[in-house]
Amino acid sequence: MITRPKGTYDIYGEDAKYYNYIKGVFTSISELYNYNYIRIPIFEDSSLFHRSVGEASDIVTKETYDFKDRGDRDLTLRPEGTAGVVRAYIENKMYGDVNQPIKLYYEGTMYRYEKPQTGRYRELTQFGVEALGSDDPMQDAEVISLAYRAMEEMGLENITVKINSLGDKESRDNYREALKKHIEPYLNDLCSDCQNRFKTNPLRILDCKVDKEHEALKTAPKISDYLNEESRERFKKVLEYLTYLDIDYEVDDNLVRGLDYYEHTVFEIVADMEELGNANTVGAGGRYNNLVEDLEGPATPCVGFACGIDRLIIILKELNKDRDIMSGIDVYITAVNEEEKLRALTLAQDLRLSEVKCEIDTLNRTLKAQFKQADRLKARILILLNSEDLKKGIITVKDNLTHEETKVDENEILDYIISNI
Ligand code: ATP
Ligand code: MG
């Protein structure tokens, strides 16, 4: 038997219900906030991720799926969505569109070579939005509120927005120096990843999952003390807007995010749930004002976020564990002989076109077995087709709750069903 590749899983049954539900909520909320759908490729030129996510990021150093195609091109399965959206924005010259800012949402699978565990897979699904072209702190607040409201709509409890500001380049340069000075004496004591980060991107040491509790990190200088006036004012505005929007946030000085392209606002939405361990961040994002330019587009300030749908499935399943979310069908049509089966086929089509969810038998079951199947599918109504009735132009309908049977004129069957479900 061929089995699924390590770190992947099949989404079906209850998981699939949640998956579609989550996608539906994100889609409708994004549309309400006036974001437009974009579909980008699952694989891109490898250099796109190296240049955007960053050579030194965990994602690029350890997690990408790189391959050569038959034309000897270097390609990478996308580990995240922002780089592809920005590439599409530049390549399709969306910056020239009269409608600005460009607000886009996407959804799809991402690929990261990670050590699989609960909530951490090699094929994961993200939902995300990007707002390209606005530097207004109000745009940051809008993106955060979209993510927050979507999760609220799904019934998520105990979620917190953790937020921080990385400031502008000047603030970060000053902070980086101070942080390096502070970390240096402890360096030999930190994990090997942190030792590399010290050289390539010291801020990321603060994001380390291994050394999180180390004294060096706990006593580290805070970036908030290094923000220049402008960055400080900007951050204050974002927080003020969040307060106006009634969003619970917590300023987290150690929040730096694992990707290279962020500045100013960074945030994570964290769920308080033991089962998820260190995979309890359901969504994350921030402002990236230099990425478009870094990828050779015109300078464009941007802000966005991405949520992990797989983790949301786990959370919603736990929250609803006492509830049966597999919905039943409206109608089951029983039919045994060829004449009845033919009528069942056309009647089912008419019902479905009238938005009635119905099922017919395609396994040549006995009548008794069809009754059983109707119960398993939690059918509200049974339509019991039989040749005798059909000759007289009538159809027998049975309410599957009260077990009451009614004879209905064949011409009125659709209206009857629609008014009884
Ligand atoms: P983490 O710190 O948990 O590794 P990250 O910082 O790598 O997350 P992002 O790149 O910001 O994550 O991705 C956004 C969201 O995608 C995360 O908050 C999480 O919900 C989800 N996610 C990231 N990696 C995985 C994975 N391997 N499996 C499932 N979901 C994931
Ligand atoms: Mg990660």
Side-chain angles (χ1 to χ4, degrees), residues 58-59 63 112 114 120 207 209 257-259 278 311:
D58 279 3
I59 289 184
E63 298 176 3
R112 298 182 185 186
E114 297 212 60
R120 203 175 282 288
D207 193 37
K209 292 186 179 74
R257 308 284 309 118
L259 292 74
N278 77 8
R311 293 183 190 175

Coordinates of all heavy atoms in Angstrom, one line a residue, residues 58-59 63 112 114 120 207 209 257-259 278 311, ligand 2:
D58 N 14.3 30.9 9.1 CA 14.2 29.4 9.3 C 13.5 28.8 8.0 O 14.0 27.8 7.6 CB 13.2 29.2 10.5 CG 13.9 29.3 11.8 OD1 15.1 29.6 11.8 OD2 13.3 29.1 12.8
I59 N 12.6 29.5 7.5 CA 11.8 29.0 6.4 C 12.8 28.6 5.2 O 12.8 27.5 4.7 CB 10.7 29.9 5.9 CG1 9.6 30.0 6.9 CG2 10.2 29.5 4.5 CD1 8.4 30.8 6.6
E63 N 13.4 24.9 5.7 CA 12.1 24.4 5.4 C 11.5 24.3 4.0 O 10.5 23.7 3.8 CB 11.0 25.2 6.3 CG 11.3 25.1 7.8 CD 10.4 26.0 8.6 OE1 9.5 26.6 8.1 OE2 10.6 26.0 9.9
R112 N 6.3 23.3 3.9 CA 7.5 23.6 4.8 C 8.0 22.2 5.3 O 7.2 21.4 5.9 CB 7.1 24.5 6.0 CG 6.6 25.8 5.5 CD 6.2 26.7 6.7 NE 5.6 28.0 6.3 CZ 5.4 29.0 7.1 NH1 5.6 28.9 8.4 NH2 4.8 30.1 6.6
E114 N 9.1 20.6 7.9 CA 9.2 20.8 9.4 C 9.1 19.4 10.1 O 8.7 18.4 9.4 CB 8.0 21.6 9.9 CG 7.9 23.0 9.4 CD 7.3 24.0 10.4 OE1 7.9 24.1 11.4 OE2 6.3 24.6 10.0
R120 N 1.3 21.2 13.2 CA 2.5 21.5 12.4 C 2.7 20.4 11.4 O 3.0 19.3 11.7 CB 3.7 21.6 13.4 CG 4.9 22.4 12.8 CD 6.0 22.6 13.8 NE 5.7 23.6 14.9 CZ 5.7 24.9 14.6 NH1 6.0 25.4 13.5 NH2 5.4 25.7 15.6
D207 N 12.7 35.3 18.9 CA 11.6 34.5 18.4 C 12.0 33.0 18.6 O 11.2 32.1 18.3 CB 11.5 34.7 16.9 CG 10.2 34.2 16.3 OD1 9.2 34.2 17.1 OD2 10.2 33.7 15.2
K209 N 12.2 29.3 19.8 CA 11.4 28.4 20.6 C 12.2 27.6 21.6 O 11.6 27.2 22.6 CB 10.5 27.5 19.7 CG 9.5 28.3 18.9 CD 8.6 27.4 18.1 CE 7.6 28.2 17.3 NZ 8.2 28.8 16.1
R257 N 8.6 38.0 14.9 CA 8.2 37.3 13.7 C 9.4 36.7 13.0 O 10.5 37.3 13.0 CB 7.4 38.1 12.7 CG 6.2 38.8 13.3 CD 5.1 37.9 13.6 NE 4.8 37.1 12.4 CZ 4.8 35.8 12.3 NH1 5.2 35.1 13.3 NH2 4.5 35.2 11.2
G258 N 9.2 35.5 12.3 CA 10.3 34.8 11.8 C 10.8 35.2 10.4 O 11.7 34.7 9.8
L259 N 10.1 36.2 9.8 CA 10.4 36.5 8.4 C 11.2 37.8 8.3 O 11.0 38.7 9.1 CB 9.1 36.6 7.5 CG 8.4 35.3 7.3 CD1 7.7 34.8 8.5 CD2 7.4 35.3 6.2
N278 N 3.5 24.4 21.2 CA 4.1 25.6 20.7 C 3.6 25.9 19.3 O 4.1 26.8 18.6 CB 5.7 25.4 20.7 CG 6.2 24.6 19.6 OD1 5.5 24.1 18.7 ND2 7.5 24.3 19.6
R311 N -4.7 24.6 12.0 CA -4.8 24.8 13.5 C -6.2 25.2 13.9 O -6.7 24.9 14.9 CB -3.8 25.8 13.9 CG -2.4 25.3 13.8 CD -1.3 26.3 14.2 NE 0.0 25.8 13.8 CZ 1.2 26.4 14.0 NH1 1.2 27.6 14.6 NH2 2.3 25.9 13.6
Ligands
MG2 MG 7.5 28.2 11.6

